[in-house]
């Protein structure tokens, strides 16, 4: 029963995360800058997490602040590139492309930590490139800029995941996450102020989307992910969270009215299959080793 509870938490997290791509798209169309959106989102999310985990703040060590700051910078790059990418492409395309770290991480580990990828990594990387090529001809993408920025977000996310894997051996996961949120909030706020862009009038609809992004798509997402992974194996958790891109596709169709052409949907399917193969690989190795 505990395992199913963990799966349920992760499934809800994936659904909430998928909605976030649509909310960001609406805020961009209301003329908020990417830095304003990220700052507003993380202001609400960070305050939300501080209220829940305020007792943990004093327990964060200097080493955790150091590691968390590195992770926070990478997370900041992820959100900047992802939000900029959404200016030139649609929510579902952006979501599928930013969900590629499972494919990219092995090659980053190869280059940085000299851990050689296996044959399946090369297969899934090839499938991903095919999927991206198909998506590049989909409707709603201007000159490939959205593709490049979204892929850049995925690379930043992949680096964040690769370093997180190393830092978790030396620090507390919750403490690192709290530092990450603080760093993203600080950097985005500084750049939003320096940008000196006009802030659109805050209407009820705008406030609603910021609250949904901050409380649910960022703060609650993190809490649900943490709770879910207490009961579910990491490989299975990764598969469930990969569904975030699928939920983003459905949410974009229902709430945003997005319609990809057949080539675009085929590209999404190929990328999703590559992600599933990547996440199923550890389980397959375990079966082979036990046989």
């Amino acid at each position: 029963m505990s395992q199913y509870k963990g799966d349920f938490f992760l499934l809800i997290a994936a659904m909430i995360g998928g909605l976030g791509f649509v909310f960001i798209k609406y805020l961009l169309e209301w003329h908020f800058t990417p830095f304003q959106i990220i700052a507003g989102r993380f202001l609400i999310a960070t305050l939300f997490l501080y209220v829940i985990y305020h007792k943990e703040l004093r327990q964060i060590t200097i080493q955790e602040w150091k590691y968390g700051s590195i992770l926070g910078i990478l997370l900041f790059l992820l959100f900047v590139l992802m939000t900029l990418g959404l200016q030139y492409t649609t929510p579902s395309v952006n979501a599928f492309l930013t969900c590629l770290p499972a494919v990219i991480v092995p090659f980053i580990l190869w280059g940085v930590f000299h851990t050689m990828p296996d044959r399946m990594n090369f297969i899934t990387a090839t499938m991903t490139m095919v999927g991206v090529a198909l998506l590049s001809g989909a409707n709603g993408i201007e000159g490939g800029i959205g593709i490049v920025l979204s892929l850049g977000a995925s690379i930043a996310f992949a680096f964040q995941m690769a370093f997180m894997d190393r830092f978790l051996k030396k620090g507390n996961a919750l403490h690192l996450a709290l530092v990450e949120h603080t760093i993203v909030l600080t950097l985005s706020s500084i750049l939003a102020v320096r940008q000196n862009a006009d802030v659109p009038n805050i209407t009820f609809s705008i406030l609603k989307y910021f609250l949904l992004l901050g409380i649910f798509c960022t703060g609650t997402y993190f809490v649900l992910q943490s709770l879910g992974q207490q009961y579910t194996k990491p490989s299975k958790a990764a598969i469930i969270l990969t569904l975030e891109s699928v939920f983003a596709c459905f949410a974009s169709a229902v709430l945003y009215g997005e319609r990809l052409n057949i080539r675009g949907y085929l590209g999404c399917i190929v990328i999703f299959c590559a992600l599933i193969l990547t996440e199923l690989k550890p389980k397959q190795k375990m079966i082979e080793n036990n046989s």
Side-chain angles (χ1 to χ4, degrees):
M1 183 61 70
S2 295
Q3 179 183 353
Y4 293 118
K5 181 166 64 174
D7 293 350
F8 176 75
F9 286 148
L10 291 167
L11 185 63
I12 297 300
M15 293 175 64
I16 293 173
L19 289 170
F21 290 90
V22 179
F23 299 155
I24 295 172
K25 186 67 174 179
Y26 277 128
L27 290 173
L28 286 169
E29 292 183 348
W30 282 325
H31 305 296
F32 284 91
T33 69
F35 294 128
Q36 289 171 345
I37 294 173
I38 298 169
R41 172 180 190 167
F42 273 86
L43 173 62
I44 296 170
T46 303
L47 291 175
F48 177 71
L49 291 176
Y50 278 8
V51 169
I52 296 176
Y53 298 112
H54 62 277
K55 294 182 179 179
E56 299 286 338
L57 294 174
R58 294 182 180 179
Q59 300 177 22
I60 301 176
T61 65
I62 294 177
Q63 187 179 51
E64 287 171 337
W65 273 104
K66 175 184 175 182
Y67 294 147
S69 297
I70 295 172
L71 295 173
I73 292 171
L74 292 171
L75 193 64
F76 172 71
L77 290 175
L78 156 66
F79 278 99
V80 169
L81 292 170
M82 181 188 76
T83 308
L84 286 171
L86 263 173
Q87 291 183 313
Y88 302 101
T89 188
T90 55
S92 65
V93 172
N94 185 261
F96 270 95
L97 292 177
T98 53
C99 283
L100 294 180
V103 177
I104 300 173
V105 165
F107 295 96
I108 291 177
L109 292 174
W110 185 17
V112 177
F113 301 113
H114 309 294
T115 304
M116 180 70 176
D118 60 25
R119 182 173 58 183
M120 183 58 73
N121 293 136
F122 288 100
I123 293 174
T124 54
T126 301
M127 290 176 63
T128 300
M129 287 188 288
V130 171
V132 170
L134 290 169
L135 271 177
S136 66
N139 296 329
I141 301 175
E142 300 176 8
I145 298 176
I147 288 283
V148 173
L149 291 171
S150 299
L151 283 175
S154 184
I155 292 171
F157 194 16
F159 270 103
Q160 190 264 356
M161 290 179 66
F163 280 98
M164 173 68 83
D165 181 64
R166 298 282 168 159
F167 294 160
L168 279 175
K169 299 173 183 177
K170 304 176 182 179
N172 180 279
L174 175 59
H175 295 173
L176 292 175
L178 289 170
V179 175
E180 275 187 297
H181 278 70
T182 303
I183 295 300
V184 176
L185 172 60
T186 302
L187 291 176
S188 58
S189 298
I190 292 173
L191 291 176
V193 171
R194 289 181 61 87
Q195 194 177 31
N196 198 29
D198 293 333
V199 178
N201 294 327
I202 305 297
T203 64
F204 175 76
S205 295
I206 288 173
L207 181 61
K208 175 183 68 176
Y209 283 121
F210 267 115
L211 288 173
L212 287 171
L213 267 177
I215 295 175
F216 292 101
C217 301
T218 310
T220 302
Y221 179 95
F222 166 75
V223 174
L224 287 172
Q225 182 183 9
S226 299
L227 290 173
Q229 290 194 231
Q230 288 180 351
Y231 305 103
T232 305
K233 293 181 180 180
S235 59
K236 187 175 183 181
I239 294 172
I240 296 174
L241 290 176
T242 299
L243 292 172
E244 181 177 334
S245 58
V246 178
F247 286 119
C249 189
F250 286 125
S252 184
V254 174
L255 301 177
Y256 188 71
E258 177 183 357
R259 295 294 183 272
L260 290 176
N261 56 28
I262 295 177
R263 178 175 174 173
Y265 281 116
L266 183 58
C268 290
I269 291 172
V270 172
I271 291 173
F272 184 69
C273 288
L275 291 170
I276 294 298
L277 284 175
T278 299
E279 299 301 342
L280 285 175
K281 179 186 61 179
K283 184 176 181 180
Q284 182 62 35
K285 282 186 173 181
M286 187 180 300
I287 293 174
E288 292 173 354
N289 291 335
N290 293 333
S291 61

